[in-house]
Amino acid sequence: MSIRRFAAVPVVLALFSILGFIAWAGAAQESRHHRMVVVPQEDRFQPFAITIHAGDTVDWVNMDTDDHTVVSDDAFNTADHHGVDVLLPGTDANAGQPGRFSLQFTKPGIFVYYCRFHAQLDHVHQPIAPGPRGGIQDASGNFGTPMMGVITVLPSKDDTGGGAQR
Ligand SMILES: [Cu+2]
């Protein structure tokens, strides 16, 4: 074995350990997913409904020029994060950058939310469109759709199901 080839052994070993670390870090990150909810250049959250697992994080990104909000509908919210009321700045108010907001969900349940600029709650706390001054207008001029979304948080994938077997 030449001296040059011998010297290469520790370099190769170091390279393998670095690659191993990258693979490990990638796997660790994969167990905690990020899911994105986008406000396109319209008054709505896309997708309307998503299903995640406890431990996952939802990232809201406002691609619209206008401001929007993420407000928890606590009459239906069983996934913690009660009282959320966050402004998602539009690109006009944020130097051209999308407004962002993230929440990690650790408790299984449901998280119903709405934008208080483009929806309001009725007497049974259901989001309704605020009429011609906001909400989503369809092709026939109907403002029947409130700006809202639903996140369903399932138990963690790491959770083996609990319940001692005897
Ligand atoms: Cu809005």
Side-chain angles (χ1 to χ4, degrees):
M1 183 184 286
S2 72
I3 289 175
R4 182 175 286 179
R5 190 176 291 177
F6 184 76
V9 169
V11 173
V12 169
L13 285 177
L15 196 63
F16 270 110
S17 61
I18 289 168
L19 288 174
F21 175 78
I22 290 169
W24 172 83
Q29 200 164 27
E30 202 177 12
S31 70
R32 290 189 169 184
H33 291 274
H34 280 250
R35 293 289 302 275
M36 194 180 288
V37 174
V38 172
V39 181
Q41 294 188 355
E42 293 181 68
D43 298 340
R44 62 188 172 90
F45 295 105
Q46 182 181 17
F48 173 85
I50 60 172
T51 301
I52 64 173
H53 288 88
D56 292 349
T57 297
V58 176
D59 302 313
W60 283 268
V61 181
N62 182 8
M63 306 295 287
D64 197 8
T65 51
D66 292 341
D67 293 349
H68 295 281
T69 58
V70 174
V71 181
S72 60
D73 188 347
D74 287 336
F76 300 100
N77 177 6
T78 57
D80 279 346
H81 296 306
H82 284 245
V84 169
D85 182 347
V86 173
L87 182 70
L88 277 180
T91 54
D92 280 357
N94 201 40
Q97 296 300 307
R100 290 172 180 271
F101 170 59
S102 295
L103 269 185
Q104 186 180 29
F105 290 88
T106 55
K107 184 184 173 193
I110 193 166
F111 185 80
V112 177
Y113 66 97
Y114 62 100
C115 171
R116 60 182 159 78
F117 298 158
H118 301 108
Q120 59 195 33
L121 299 184
D122 69 8
H123 70 288
V124 287
H125 309 286
Q126 294 189 5
I128 56 171
R133 289 168 158 260
I136 305 166
Q137 187 175 26
D138 69 15
S140 60
N142 181 8
F143 285 88
T145 308
M147 183 173 179
M148 62 170 293
V150 182
I151 297 167
T152 302
V153 186
L154 300 177
S156 168
K157 281 180 176 170
D158 304 331
D159 193 338
T160 50
Q165 300 200 351
R166 287 168 192 251

